[in-house]
Amino acid sequence: MKKTIYVFFIFLILLNIKSYAQCTLHIKGKLTDLHSTRGIKNGSIQLIATNGKESITITDLSGEYTISNVCQGVYRLIISHPDYTTQTLEITVKNNLNQVISLELKEKELQQIVTVGKSLGKTKTSTENKLTKNQINEFSDSNLASALASIAGVSILKTGNNIAKPIIHGLHSSRVPIFNHAIRQEDQQWGVEHAPDIDLNVANSISIIKGAGALQYAGDATGGIVLVEPKKLYTKDTLTGSLITSYVSNGKGGNTTAQIEKGWKKGWAMRLQGTYKRSGDLSAPDYIMSNTGLKENDFSIQAGKNQRNYGIELFYSYFGSDTGILKAAHVGNLENLLNAINNKQPLVIDDFTMKIDAPKQKIQHNLFKFNTHYNFNFGKLSLVYGYQFNNRKEYDIRRSGLADKASLNLDLTTHTLNLDYESIAHTKLKTKLGSGYSYQENFPNAGTGVSPLIPFYEKNNYSFYWIEYFTISKKLLIEGGIRFDHQKIDALKFYKKSRWVSLGYDKKYSKKILKDTGLNYLVNPILTYNGFASTLGLKLKLGMFDEIAFNYSLSSRAPNPSELFSDGLHHSAAAIELGDLDLKNEKSNKFMTTYKGFGLDNKLTFELTAYYNYINDFINSIPVSAEYTIRGAFPVWQYKQTNAKIYGIDVMADYQTLGPLKFSTNFSYLRGKDIKNKTSLISMPPLHWVNSIEYRNKKWRNYFAKLTSTSVFKQTHFPNYNFEIDIVKNGAVVSETLDISSPPAAYQLFDFITGFSLDITTIHTMNISLGVKNIFDIAYRDYMNRLRFYIEESGRSFLLKIQFNF
């Protein structure tokens, strides 16, 4: 393994050797607003030579652009944007140029509405990666976690094949907050088997910030932050839209998503978007995975108006899904549990069906957002209000009288209010500060016949942050900031008396008992947590294009309700979970360095990130035993605290040949250690390496073909949490080892996709693609799948996708 890594890095170093052939000059710069000096995104930079040869590039999110492979000579530079007056410049290129260009906002055109969360900007020194709309469309039939996993350093934590959430540098769930249209997603996200209730297709871009440096968003992001960002609304008189439909062979399902947008001259604009997904039982290479179907219905509407100095926006989205949970994960007794884990095939294999039976999840999530902003001569003031209502029903396999009743039925209501200010009065010193408040109520609905896993609680959170960016020179920028959060949880929960005493709560929390109901205590835990976060970093430009960034971030995460109050069977995870009221704040100290470079006449681009994260009082969920209940036999997972460290490297590199070929590599390796217990951390992603070769030819109707190889190595650093269970064999009680620790074997997968575009009219286009995943129908198990004990991953699947743009 070490030899492989050494060879890989030697290869990267060799590729970075600069060459100085003819036409190797570069034009680099930034496109800005003449008055606010903010960067202008999606501006067109057109370079035209005297011989008529031209090249076009588009500015990125911050307004920066790069034109490569430029020869010496005289050029005409045309700079344009729909909302700004076009400018034409004549330039002479003798050496590499750095050209900053400012545009004037059109008199009769109104500036596009700016999403508040995005307008505040992101961290300047933490590592940030982004998925564009075209990349998101490739995963339109999948989920958020699958799309994000295409970024180095991001993995997937799965419960079966349809429930997935992102892992950033080994951390997930409440350690990786997700912001949907600038509102922090609150959807019972703390459980490992709770996928984000977000329609991937609502996003125009998705950003990953690998660390807690973006303090304006959160102070508890010990892993990182996910920003699901919308497309700005057009304000000119126009009508646009798109329709994507796909068919997926594995599961015999598909996806349809559509979007239409209308803009008016006076600044008003509106967008409607909707998605429908449906699939039946998935298939492994050798069998049907019973009860793994999915049904999803999503809808969103966005409307707003923007003037030169102020703007308002309204947004509403609905997410609804029915997700089947693998039947084979729910077994009747300890012997069946042992056989299920040791068996190579699931204990339940039924014929294919589109029907979704219990066990299953039924989710509804509603999000409403209102935001407004006002631009002063010296800065910008923004106000955002968000309301979320999430209903989660989980259905277990129960007797006929209770078959249609949910065993878990939770209503989660969240209100958030954020006030932010951004100063632009000084050209070199930028200030961001703000405050926020959120109120959350979790209400377990009655009538389930089961004690709720998460009890009734109210949670209040107050926050304040302050960030400074200081540009010392054109090559050096320094970032620093602080944040404070105060959280209070007021809960009502029934505890079995036996559990209450075994946990030692009878001595610690006797004053919290409100009522003795016979077998149970009604308890009122009131818990408060103070969290302090800070960041300090710098970014240094090395020459014309290469840059290096250093960042240190301190974050503090309060234990979430699942970690505090869990006390029973969580059927979606097929496990019994035990929380702990004594849990303290997690405190993370993360150091990160990122180098971005170019080589081989700018044909090679690469990014290397190294990080080290030391976490005090790390809250770890580990298996401790197995337990037999009236609903079956399940492993018991308990939340415990330890000290931990997680460190690793991420590498991304692209090499564009002179021809139409492009080579890409994506490499991630990390180690997680439990310092207190001197062992490895559980559920750390193994080494992951993705390589691809892509062919594109614009002359052949934008034809492309891409072959991808994904290599996942065996996890060799894992803790041993195996334990003994007693079962009856031949009339005698014998002890057997329940192996829930050993990781599965390494595997390699190949995927292929090809497609082209058709011009229906001058403004209407159609994109058609055909792909196949797991080409060789490899049977494998994923270490990061909590249900890997019972089943393999899905097998080969063909995908047909058609996109119509108008």
Side-chain angles (χ1 to χ4, degrees):
M1 181 63 241
K2 291 183 178 179
K3 291 182 179 179
T4 302
I5 295 175
Y6 293 153
V7 171
F8 179 77
F9 281 109
I10 291 171
F11 173 72
L12 279 182
I13 293 170
L14 290 175
L15 285 179
N16 194 38
I17 297 174
K18 308 288 184 177
S19 62
Y20 297 94
Q22 193 177 6
C23 297
T24 59
L25 299 178
H26 320 283
I27 301 174
K28 184 180 180 182
K30 187 173 184 179
L31 184 63
T32 64
D33 184 285
L34 181 63
H35 300 286
S36 69
T37 71
R38 295 190 186 94
I40 300 174
K41 168 192 171 185
N42 291 336
S44 174
I45 312 294
Q46 185 178 10
L47 185 71
I48 303 177
T50 53
N51 60 5
K53 185 178 179 180
E54 64 180 67
S55 60
I56 300 176
T57 188
I58 303 297
T59 59
D60 62 15
L61 285 174
S62 59
E64 296 182 352
Y65 68 90
T66 300
I67 304 176
S68 306
N69 303 324
V70 181
C71 305
Q72 292 185 354
V74 179
Y75 294 88
R76 191 156 49 102
L77 202 61
I78 301 176
I79 309 98
S80 60
H81 188 280
D83 298 329
Y84 290 83
T85 302
T86 299
Q87 185 177 158
T88 302
L89 302 174
E90 185 174 289
I91 60 173
T92 300
V93 178
K94 295 182 179 180
N95 301 299
N96 293 329
L97 288 182
N98 194 330
Q99 190 86 15
V100 178
I101 306 166
S102 297
L103 294 183
E104 173 79 31
L105 194 66
K106 290 181 181 178
E107 290 288 337
K108 297 182 180 181
E109 288 288 342
L110 299 175
Q111 188 180 18
Q112 293 179 337
I113 289 179
V114 179
T115 304
V116 172
K118 188 173 181 180
S119 70
L120 289 174
K122 309 177 184 70
T123 174
K124 302 295 184 183
T125 60
S126 286
T127 304
E128 180 181 340
N129 301 108
K130 188 187 74 169
L131 295 179
T132 64
K133 185 60 176 177
N134 288 336
Q135 292 171 312
I136 293 170
N137 287 341
E138 293 179 12
F139 296 90
S140 63
D141 57 294
S142 188
N143 53 57
L144 178 65
S146 297
L148 295 178
S150 61
I151 297 173
V154 182
S155 307
I156 305 177
L157 180 67
K158 296 191 288 187
T159 302
N161 288 273
N162 286 322
I163 301 174
K165 61 196 318 175
I167 306 172
I168 301 178
H169 289 169
L171 301 173
H172 57 82
S173 302
S174 58
R175 297 182 179 99
V176 180
I178 299 173
F179 287 80
N180 185 3
H181 283 59
I183 299 296
R184 179 164 179 156
Q185 185 83 2
E186 298 287 353
D187 53 5
Q188 307 279 358
Q189 70 273 14
W190 39 75
V192 296
E193 73 302 324
H194 293 179
D197 299 334
I198 296 175
D199 177 16
L200 176 69
N201 299 289
V202 79
N204 184 63
S205 66
I206 303 174
S207 297
I208 286 281
I209 299 175
K210 299 173 181 176
L215 297 182
Q216 66 266 38
Y217 298 104
D220 59 352
T222 56
I225 295 174
V226 178
L227 303 177
V228 179
E229 301 170 307
K231 181 182 178 182
K232 295 178 182 179
L233 292 169
Y234 288 113
T235 54
K236 56 185 178 182
D237 191 5
T238 185
L239 177 67
T240 63
S242 66
L243 171 68
I244 302 175
T245 184
S246 61
Y247 171 77
V248 183
S249 66
N250 198 328
K252 301 179 182 179
N255 163 79
T256 298
T257 182
Q259 176 179 290
I260 188 169
E261 181 175 345
K262 173 63 179 174
W264 291 271
K265 289 183 178 180
K266 293 186 177 181
W268 287 101
M270 176 180 290
R271 178 184 299 119
L272 299 175
Q273 181 270 337
T275 299
Y276 176 76
K277 295 180 182 179
R278 187 75 170 97
S279 66
D281 291 338
L282 300 173
S283 298
D286 299 317
Y287 51 79
I288 299 293
M289 298 186 286
S290 299
N291 203 47
T292 53
L294 169 70
K295 182 167 69 174
E296 182 178 314
N297 299 277
D298 310 316
F299 168 78
S300 70
I301 180 171
Q302 186 177 353
K305 182 178 182 180
N306 196 70
Q307 300 289 351
R308 183 182 293 269
N309 292 325
Y310 70 91
I312 60 172
E313 180 183 314
L314 297 172
F315 174 78
Y316 169 78
S317 68
Y318 169 83
F319 176 93
S321 69
D322 289 323
T323 307
I325 308 295
L326 180 71
K327 282 185 179 180
H330 288 247
V331 295
N333 54 53
L334 292 176
E335 184 175 358
N336 286 344
L337 176 60
L338 179 67
N339 292 334
I341 292 177
N342 294 336
N343 212 337
K344 292 185 179 181
Q345 287 195 343
L347 300 180
V348 179
I349 301 177
D350 296 328
D351 293 335
F352 172 86
T353 179
M354 298 291 289
K355 186 179 180 181
I356 302 174
D357 292 321
K360 64 179 180 178
Q361 294 180 356
K362 186 177 179 67
I363 311 295
Q364 294 183 17
H365 186 79
N366 298 268
L367 184 152
F368 169 79
K369 183 193 78 169
F370 166 80
N371 73 265
T372 182
H373 71 269
Y374 190 85
N375 293 318
F376 302 90
N377 292 331
F378 50 84
K380 178 180 180 180
L381 188 66
S382 305
L383 178 70
V384 181
Y385 165 75
Y387 167 80
Q388 296 176 79
F389 176 77
N390 182 274
N391 174 254
R392 170 176 290 271
K393 293 186 177 72
E394 299 185 357
Y395 294 83
D396 202 353
I397 300 174
R398 308 171 81 179
R399 295 179 179 178
S400 57
L402 298 172
D404 296 329
K405 285 190 176 182
S407 57
L408 184 71
N409 188 349
L410 300 176
D411 289 340
L412 186 70
T413 304
T414 309
H415 299 267
T416 58
L417 185 66
N418 295 305
L419 181 65
D420 300 283
Y421 170 72
E422 178 181 7
S423 170
I424 58 172
H426 198 283
T427 56
K428 290 190 175 182
L429 184 64
K430 306 294 184 183
T431 300
K432 297 177 185 176
L433 56 88
S435 61
Y437 168 73
S438 69
Y439 169 80
Q440 185 174 90
E441 178 188 276
N442 184 69
F443 185 82
N445 293 289
T448 63
V450 179
S451 179
L453 185 72
I454 307 296
F456 172 85
Y457 71 81
E458 294 180 324
K459 183 172 72 172
N460 289 271
N461 192 92
Y462 303 87
S463 64
F464 169 80
Y465 75 88
W466 182 10
I467 306 172
E468 295 285 347
Y469 302 119
F470 182 45
T471 303
I472 296 178
S473 67
K474 292 181 179 180
K475 292 186 176 182
L476 181 61
L477 177 142
I478 295 179
E479 170 187 13
I482 59 173
R483 181 183 174 105
F484 177 77
D485 287 87
H486 173 77
Q487 185 180 116
K488 180 181 178 181
I489 299 178
D490 189 343
L492 289 173
K493 178 173 174 59
F494 285 97
Y495 278 93
K496 292 181 180 180
K497 288 184 177 180
S498 58
R499 184 84 76 186
W500 183 262
V501 173
S502 66
L503 294 172
Y505 293 164
D506 55 326
K507 299 178 181 179
K508 299 177 183 178
Y509 301 108
S510 59
K511 295 182 179 180
K512 302 293 184 182
I513 299 175
L514 298 181
K515 186 178 181 181
D516 185 339
T517 63
L519 294 176
N520 302 301
Y521 289 129
L522 176 60
V523 183
N524 178 214
I526 300 177
L527 307 169
T528 58
Y529 304 94
N530 293 317
F532 179 77
S534 63
T535 186
L536 179 64
L538 64 87
K539 180 184 289 185
L540 178 64
K541 291 186 179 296
L542 306 173
M544 196 68 180
F545 299 100
D546 298 0
E547 65 181 33
I548 188 169
F550 303 92
N551 180 268
Y552 162 75
S553 58
L554 167 69
S555 59
S556 178
R557 185 183 73 90
N560 64 47
S562 177
E563 295 164 339
L564 291 168
F565 305 122
S566 289
D567 184 24
L569 176 63
H570 201 166
H571 92 90
S572 295
I576 294 170
E577 298 180 1
L578 299 179
D580 188 347
L581 292 178
D582 292 331
L583 296 177
K584 300 178 292 185
N585 274 14
E586 269 184 2
K587 293 169 285 294
S588 165
N589 292 270
K590 188 170 186 178
F591 302 85
M592 190 160 43
T593 301
T594 298
Y595 177 70
K596 296 181 180 179
F598 298 82
L600 298 177
D601 297 334
N602 212 28
K603 299 181 185 67
L604 171 72
T605 61
F606 64 89
E607 177 179 306
L608 170 64
T609 298
Y611 59 91
Y612 178 89
N613 194 357
Y614 186 92
I615 307 174
N616 284 303
D617 297 317
F618 179 73
I619 301 174
N620 201 12
S621 176
I622 61 174
V624 293
S625 63
E627 190 171 311
Y628 181 76
T629 73
I630 59 173
R631 299 158 75 187
F634 301 94
V636 178
W637 291 69
Q638 186 172 355
Y639 291 102
K640 295 184 177 183
Q641 286 194 294
T642 185
N643 294 331
K645 61 180 179 181
I646 302 173
Y647 55 92
I649 56 173
D650 304 329
V651 178
M652 291 188 293
D654 293 326
Y655 178 72
Q656 181 71 58
T657 66
L658 288 174
L661 290 179
K662 178 182 178 181
F663 298 90
S664 300
T665 189
N666 173 321
F667 177 87
S668 297
Y669 175 74
L670 68 82
R671 288 283 304 276
K673 292 188 176 181
D674 182 337
I675 298 173
K676 186 178 294 185
N677 297 303
K678 298 181 180 179
T679 186
S680 297
L681 286 177
I682 194 172
S683 300
M684 290 288 109
L687 190 152
H688 189 91
W689 197 350
V690 180
N691 293 280
S692 66
I693 179 171
E694 182 176 5
Y695 173 86
R696 285 188 178 271
N697 193 324
K698 293 183 179 180
K699 296 180 181 179
W700 297 357
R701 299 187 182 276
N702 289 318
Y703 174 79
F704 74 94
K706 183 177 181 181
L707 178 66
T708 302
S709 165
T710 301
S711 300
V712 178
F713 292 64
K714 183 176 181 178
Q715 179 59 276
T716 57
H717 304 281
F718 61 94
N720 185 352
Y721 289 122
N722 296 340
F723 50 83
E724 301 295 315
I725 61 172
D726 293 331
I727 62 173
V728 178
K729 277 189 175 182
N730 300 321
V733 177
V734 296
S735 181
E736 294 278 358
T737 299
L738 192 66
D739 185 359
I740 56 175
S741 301
S742 298
Y747 60 88
Q748 184 175 21
L749 306 176
F750 288 90
D751 303 330
F752 177 76
I753 186 171
T754 185
F756 60 93
S757 300
L758 294 174
D759 294 327
I760 307 302
T761 67
T762 55
I763 59 173
H764 298 157
T765 62
M766 180 180 291
N767 303 327
I768 302 173
S769 65
L770 177 65
V772 55
K773 295 183 178 181
N774 194 357
I775 295 175
F776 301 109
D777 205 21
I778 300 297
Y780 68 101
R781 299 188 185 229
D782 189 347
Y783 180 64
M784 301 309 297
N785 191 336
R786 285 286 292 266
L787 298 188
R788 71 177 188 275
F789 309 116
Y790 311 101
I791 205 163
E792 295 171 340
E793 300 297 314
S794 56
R796 181 168 46 230
S797 182
F798 293 93
L799 172 66
L800 173 65
K801 183 177 297 183
I802 300 174
Q803 178 178 349
F804 179 67
N805 304 305
F806 61 91

